[in-house]
Amino acid sequence: MFKLGKIIFEAAKKAYPILLNGKSSIGKKALFSLKNPYILEAIPESKLAEMSMFEGKKLNTVCRILDDKDGYKVIERYNKIKSKQTKGFSDGELAALYKKACKYDKQPSPFSNNDDAKVYLSFLPESIGSKFDAHGITKNPIEDHLSQLNNLLTKGIDKSRNFHSAPLVGNPGLGPGLGTAGGSAYRDGSFIIVSDKSKTLLDDGIKHVIVNDVYYDIIKDLQAKFLNVNFVRADQAVEYFSKL
């Protein structure tokens, strides 16, 4: 039976001197590292990406996991977690994006700059909008909205905390039960995060982000960073979601 762990361990031993008794000097504290050319050479190219999860871990432990009959489950779990994590913008990059969005010296205000979503989404039929779970990023100050979006897209929604969502366009009578006025997700903030069709944000994550008018100028930057999310201008949201 092919045992990758045993192959890797035998390869790693080549990087350590041989003792007078003829045994390798490799010890229990030896670490797994793809910087070790012998380990790197022993791993099939198709497995290299997966093996990076073990970088810096104890070599004995890694090899034992790889040769365990359930070892693949560990790798599978890691890949699922990794696929949900995205490297977002740094604080410096966020500051630069905010400056770019406000390059005309406009002072962002929830009363004067974030109007498009309120206006245009009022034309989206409930029969369409109700199929999408949504959450508006609205809490002031408005300059923090970009940072809040970055955290949500990078780390995902924190399920240990209260998180309220509502249909993108819902029944006004259901508002009190959903915790939103009018039964729809709030529209007066800079961003509205939206699930995929007939999915939920908590269970399935963020698929679309409606960008309100304060941040129109950085949509391309957002899209380039978060490739698995679709960003749409608020003034184009009706046509966009109608096609979906």
Side-chain angles (χ1 to χ4, degrees):
M1 181 184 291
F2 175 77
K3 291 197 171 184
L4 182 58
K6 183 176 181 180
I7 292 172
I8 289 175
F9 189 81
E10 291 300 318
K13 286 166 60 175
K14 297 177 183 178
Y16 293 82
I18 301 297
L19 300 175
L20 292 176
N21 60 8
K23 295 183 178 181
S24 171
S25 62
I26 191 170
K28 293 182 179 180
K29 293 184 179 180
L31 301 178
F32 175 92
S33 177
L34 293 177
K35 295 177 182 177
N36 181 325
Y38 299 105
I39 292 178
L40 190 62
E41 188 177 286
I43 298 173
E45 190 172 343
S46 61
K47 297 286 185 182
L48 282 176
E50 291 180 339
M51 292 302 102
S52 64
M53 66 177 283
F54 295 119
E55 185 71 29
K57 302 293 190 297
K58 285 188 176 181
L59 182 64
N60 277 330
T61 302
V62 172
C63 293
R64 189 166 62 249
I65 289 173
L66 291 176
D67 288 347
D68 188 276
K69 62 183 179 65
D70 292 324
Y72 74 94
K73 292 181 180 179
V74 175
I75 298 175
E76 196 174 62
R77 272 199 306 272
Y78 168 81
N79 287 334
K80 284 183 178 179
I81 294 171
K82 188 176 180 182
S83 68
K84 295 180 181 179
Q85 295 177 333
T86 306
K87 185 176 180 181
F89 294 106
S90 66
D91 290 343
E93 289 172 328
L94 288 173
L97 286 174
Y98 180 75
K99 185 175 181 180
K100 180 179 179 180
C102 304
K103 61 185 175 183
Y104 301 115
D105 296 324
K106 59 185 179 184
Q107 294 300 314
S109 162
F111 306 107
S112 61
N113 290 102
N114 275 329
D115 297 325
D116 278 6
K118 289 183 286 184
V119 172
Y120 289 95
L121 284 176
S122 65
F123 295 101
L124 184 65
E126 183 186 338
S127 60
I128 296 173
S130 62
K131 292 180 170 61
F132 298 90
D133 191 32
H135 171 86
I137 299 177
T138 61
K139 290 184 179 179
N140 291 330
I142 198 170
E143 54 266 28
D144 287 346
H145 293 178
L146 182 59
S147 177
Q148 291 176 45
L149 177 69
N150 187 57
N151 284 334
L152 285 167
L153 295 179
T154 303
K155 302 174 183 177
I157 297 168
D158 185 354
K159 295 184 180 181
S160 67
R161 303 177 63 182
N162 287 333
F163 177 83
H164 298 288
S165 63
L168 183 56
V169 180
N171 186 327
L174 300 178
L178 295 170
T180 62
S184 302
Y186 289 118
R187 306 171 182 177
D188 55 345
S190 302
F191 306 100
I192 304 173
I193 57 173
V194 186
S195 71
D196 207 349
K197 183 180 176 182
S198 301
K199 303 290 185 179
T200 67
L201 288 169
L202 267 179
D203 293 335
D204 305 289
I206 303 165
K207 183 64 177 179
H208 316 278
V209 175
I210 298 173
V211 181
N212 224 343
D213 33 343
V214 166
Y215 289 106
Y216 280 170
D217 290 338
I218 63 165
I219 288 180
K220 289 185 178 179
D221 301 275
L222 294 170
Q223 190 65 76
K225 175 65 72 173
F226 302 105
L227 299 176
N228 295 324
V229 178
N230 301 316
F231 293 86
V232 56
R233 290 171 58 113
D235 59 359
Q236 298 172 358
V238 174
E239 180 183 6
Y240 176 83
F241 284 98
S242 295
K243 287 181 177 179
L244 292 179

